[in-house]
Amino acid sequence: MGRQPSSKPTSFDIAYLAGVSQPTVSRALRGSRSVSLATRQRIEAIARELNYSVDKNASSLRSQRSNTIALLFFEDRTPDESNINPFFLAMLGSITRQCGARGLDLLISFQKMEDDWHVRYQDSHRADGLILLGYGDYTLYARRLTELVDHGTHFVRWGSAGEDTIGPTVGSDNVGAGRLAGEHLLSLGRRRIAFLGQADEHYPEFADRYTGLCQAMAASGIAPDPALQVDALTAEDAGHAAARTLIARGAPFDAIFAASDLIAIGAMRALAEAGLSIPGDVAIIGFDDIPAASLTTPPLTTIMQDMKGAGELLIDTLVAQVEDRPLPPCTLGTRLVVRRSTAGWGQG
Amino acid sequence: MGRQPSSKPTSFDIAYLAGVSQPTVSRALRGSRSVSLATRQRIEAIARELNYSVDKNASSLRSQRSNTIALLFFEDRTPDESNINPFFLAMLGSITRQCGARGLDLLISFQKMEDDWHVRYQDSHRADGLILLGYGDYTLYARRLTELVDHGTHFVRWGSAGEDTIGPTVGSDNVGAGRLAGEHLLSLGRRRIAFLGQADEHYPEFADRYTGLCQAMAASGIAPDPALQVDALTAEDAGHAAARTLIARGAPFDAIFAASDLIAIGAMRALAEAGLSIPGDVAIIGFDDIPAASLTTPPLTTIMQDMKGAGELLIDTLVAQVEDRPLPPCTLGTRLVVRRSTAGWGQG
DNA sequence: GGCCATAAGGCATACGTATACGCATATATG
DNA sequence: CATATATGCGTATACGTATGCCTTATGGCC
C-alpha cells in the first residue's frame, strides 16, 4: 500500500475478484435492490480495499446525467477585474455547501453578459443545469434568459421573483425587506427617509426594496418624496456620489435606506465629509450584511438575507427543473440586523 | 431555429452532412494537421450551424483528460459556517479567470481537513489536478499532503514555499513582504514594532513574515523583543485579543505589524478601546489587502499580494505537474499599499 | 406435480469521442 | 519507370459504466 498501482481499478476488476459480472458491480454500488445483501457487501468491501471510485466521465456518458451544476457569476460591466460583489461570494458559500451535501459537483465561472454561456455547459453535458448570479440591467439580461428558455436549458437565477420574470427565479422578499427597513427607521422617530438605489424596472430588486419602504411610510401616513430618492448601482463610489447628490438637493432628511451595503458605506463616507453625524443627524441602514458592514464606523445596521435558505432553494429549484417537475416560485424571508448606525440616542 | 431539436447532434451527424467519417470530424475540430483545410472549414461550418458542441464526458472518457481543475478550500476548524477567508475569495477570482483564459473548467468545493478529498477528484477522473487553498495548522496538513504525494495525485498548494514543503507549492515571498512592512514602519521613525500572528512552524507563512520583519529591524540595528510578538490566527477576534494581550504586557510599542488584515482590524478595535490613536500613538500595517481594509477608520496600510500572478502561477504549476514536467518552485512579489493607518504626521 | 411470481444476476449493448493503423492517391527521387 | 514519402482520410476499436432484456433458481400455491 501507498505505492502507485499500475492502473486505476475498474468495475471489471471488482467483478472478477467478487466472482460476479461487471453490471452486478455497477448495480451493487448504486444500491439497486436486485443485488442480494451478501453480494453487495462483498463488492463494497473489495471496492473499498482497491480504493475504487466510479469513473465520473463514463458514468455521466452512459447515464446522460452529470450530477454537476454550473454556477455562473456574471458582471454587467466590469470596471476592472477581481471586483466581485461580496454578497454573491457569501452566496457561493451557501451553494457550495448545499452541493456538497447532495453529492453534486459544482463548476464555477465568471462570465460577461455578451459571452455565449448559454451554450457551453448544458449542451456539452458538463452540467445538468445552471445557476445564474449577477446584478445587472434586467432588461439586457432578459434577452439572454429568453434564449435560455427557448433553448431548453435548465437554470435558476437569483433575483426579483415577480410575475413577469423569465425562467425560474429565487430571491428574497425584497418588498417585505424594504418594509422592515422602513418600519425600523420609523420606529426610531425618523420621518424624512431617503432611498439610495435605482428604483426603476431595470433593477427590480432595488425597485422592490423601495416599494417596501414606501409601503411602510404609507402605513404611517407619510407620502414618499421623490427628492429623497437618488439612483445608485451597487458600488461604494455610486453610494458616495448618490449621497452627495442627496445632500446637494437640500431637501431635509434624517435617515437613509441604501439598497446595498456598499452603497451605504459610500454614503457614510459622504455624510462624514459633509459633517453629518451618524446616527445623530442621519440614521442609515444598508442591505446584504456583507462582512465589511460590521467594521464600519459606526457599524452598519442592515438587512440580512437568508443565505442558507438561498442555497437550498436554488438547488431545490434547479434539480426540480432538471427532473422535469418544476417547483412553484418562492421567496425567502429577511432579518433586520441592528447596529449602531441606527441606534437610538440612548444606545450608542 | 429556436425550437428544441429532438436530440443533440453528435459528431456522426456532422460527419454525415459533411460526407466524411466521424473520426475526421473529431480530428478537424481538434485542429489536427492531417485534415485538409477545405474539409476542416466545411466541418466547422456545419458544426456551427447545428450548434454542435463536443460531449465533454465522451471526450474526457476517451482521452483520459478532463481539462478540469478542482479547487479545494479547506477550513481547519470551521467555527461556524459561511466564514470564508476573504483573501482566498479574492484568489478565487484570479484562478477562475485564469482557468477561463485557458479553457479549463473549474470545480470548487469546501472541505474539512478530515474528509477524504484526496480520493474524490482525480481518481474518479473528475479533475486532472487539485489546487489546495487554506490556512491551517501546517503540521496537521502535512500528513494529508504526504498521502497525496504517495498517491500520485497532481496538486499545487498555496503556502510558504520553503525547502521542507511537501509537494509543489506556490506562494508570496513572505519574508520579503515582512521586510517591506518593517522597512516602511522604520522609515516612519517607529522603533518598537510589535508583531501579531503565530510565529511558529505550524504557520510557516506567518513565521516568514515575522522573519522578514526581524531582518528589517536587524538591518537598522534593532533586536526583536519577544514581548512584542503575540500569537494570533487569522480572525478579527484573534486580532482583538492579541492586541489586548500586547497592551496588557506593558512593553511600550509604537507600531504593529499584523499578519493579516483581519488581525489588524481586530487590533485597531482594541487600540481604539484602549484610547490609543492610530497612527498617532501606534502605526499599524496589515497583510492581504482585503476589501474591508480600505473601509476601516483610518484606512489600513497593508501588503498586497500579487493575485493575478498567483492564479497564473498556480495553474502553470499544476498543468506542468499534470503533464509530468514539474516546474521549479517560485515565489511572487508583494507590494506595499500605504493608507492612513501609517501616515506620517503631516500626511493624515 | 405443474404453474406462476419473485429474486438474483448474466448478456448484450449503448453512451459519443479519440486514436492507432492501414490504405489509397499524389508527389518526389533515383 | 520503380520505389520511397507524405497527405488525407476511412476502419476498427477502446475508454468505463449503466441499463433493458433474458435466464435460471427458488418458493408458494392449488
Side-chain angles (χ1 to χ4, degrees), chain A residues 11-12 23 26 52 62:
Chain A
S11 53
F12 283 95
S26 173
Y52 170 77
R62 175 59 230 242

Side-chain angles (χ1 to χ4, degrees), chain B residues 225-247:
Chain B
D225 180 350
L228 295 183
Q229 185 271 323
V230 184
D231 281 353
L233 295 180
T234 192
E236 205 260 353
D237 286 358
H240 185 254
R244 286 177 61 96
T245 303
L246 176 66
I247 293 167

Side-chain angles (χ1 to χ4, degrees), chain A residues 54-88:
Chain A
V54 174
D55 185 299
K56 185 77 183 316
N57 298 126
S59 172
S60 298
L61 173 59
R62 175 59 230 242
S63 67
Q64 300 289 68
R65 188 78 142 65
S66 66
N67 284 313
T68 300
I69 284 175
L71 176 57
L72 268 47
F73 285 99
F74 53 103
E75 316 150 279
D76 198 3
R77 354 133 268 162
T78 158
D80 209 17
E81 53 184 319
S82 84
N83 276 334
I84 315 166
N85 190 310
F87 167 70
F88 287 124

Side-chain angles (χ1 to χ4, degrees), chain B residues 161-232:
Chain B
E163 290 93 47
D164 56 347
T165 203
I166 299 166
T169 302
V170 165
S172 287
D173 174 10
N174 287 294
V175 177
R179 224 182 295 126
L180 213 58
E183 285 162 1
H184 175 62
L185 294 171
L186 290 164
S187 79
L188 299 173
R190 311 288 171 153
R191 288 292 175 271
R192 306 273 312 157
I193 304 175
F195 180 80
L196 304 186
Q198 303 289 127
D200 55 36
E201 76 278 8
H202 293 256
Y203 295 82
E205 299 189 66
F206 285 10
D208 285 352
R209 292 169 196 177
Y210 186 51
T211 302
L213 173 63
C214 293
Q215 286 179 6
M217 289 171 62
S220 289
I222 303 174
D225 180 350
L228 295 183
Q229 185 271 323
V230 184
D231 281 353

